[in-house]
Amino acid sequence: MKALAVDVERNLRSPLVGIGHAASRLGFPMPEVNVAIRSGDTSAADRRLFARRPSDVLITTPESLFLILTSKARESLSGLETVILDEIHAVAGTKRGAHLMLSLERLDALLDKPAQRVGLSATVRPVEEISRFLSGGRPVTVVQPSSTKKWDLQVVVPIPTCLHWARQLQTATERQTVRSHAPPSGHMSRNASSTWSPTSLDVGLRQLPASGRAPDGSSQ
């Protein structure tokens, strides 16, 4: 909850500065956007302050939203326009999510028109099912940019003889893995970098000729 509040404040700071400069240039008053947090840790004083002077942005939990709707503080939500559900996949299909959707329906009943619901998730599957969960059967627009991952892998060898020893090292490591029935000690990670353990290096070095020269006569 606190981390989300910090993210909201950080992401609002730059746009608000730009809005303030534009307002000053056009001769309009500087807008002020207030952010409040309502959770189980919120003090009684802060709760009373929110009831008297509602904030522009309220960060809360499904449980705290339910408590607001069952108290006099629900009047502070009368001007609400948008509800953003961050990480919606975490509550979809759960009792907590069903409880949240019920609270949102109660919230819409307080408003002149239903609030626009925005669900955010980077790992939601399936999208169509979560869309129905979010909208409650109402029309919904899905914004899902393509996120196909593409690999760009290059092997760069600064010295020709290095390629020979690299192949020797890989072959020796594979042989050692087969003999010991151990997981491969060399792997390719997502950032296209290769990692070899000291044991693999030792095995590779033992395969080198005693003279320290490659089969073509070049020295290492």
Side-chain angles (χ1 to χ4, degrees), residues 169 172-173 176 179 198-208:
L169 177 60
T173 303
Q176 179 68 12
R179 287 196 299 268
T199 303
S200 301
L201 180 60
D202 179 63
V203 171
L205 291 178
R206 288 202 299 267
Q207 300 297 322
L208 300 181

Side-chain angles (χ1 to χ4, degrees), residues 42-52:
T42 304
S43 64
D46 290 337
R47 296 179 185 180
R48 291 192 295 268
L49 178 62
F50 175 77
R52 294 195 307 268

Side-chain angles (χ1 to χ4, degrees), residues 152-171:
D152 183 9
L153 176 62
Q154 297 180 356
V155 178
V156 180
V157 181
I159 304 175
T161 55
C162 289
L163 182 59
H164 166 74
W165 300 126
R167 290 173 177 170
Q168 289 285 89
L169 177 60
Q170 181 179 5
T171 301

Side-chain angles (χ1 to χ4, degrees), residues 1-24:
M1 177 66 69
K2 293 181 180 179
L4 179 59
V6 172
D7 290 341
V8 171
E9 181 182 358
R10 181 175 63 250
N11 294 330
L12 280 177
R13 186 179 297 115
S14 296
L16 288 178
V17 171
I19 293 174
H21 291 166
S24 177

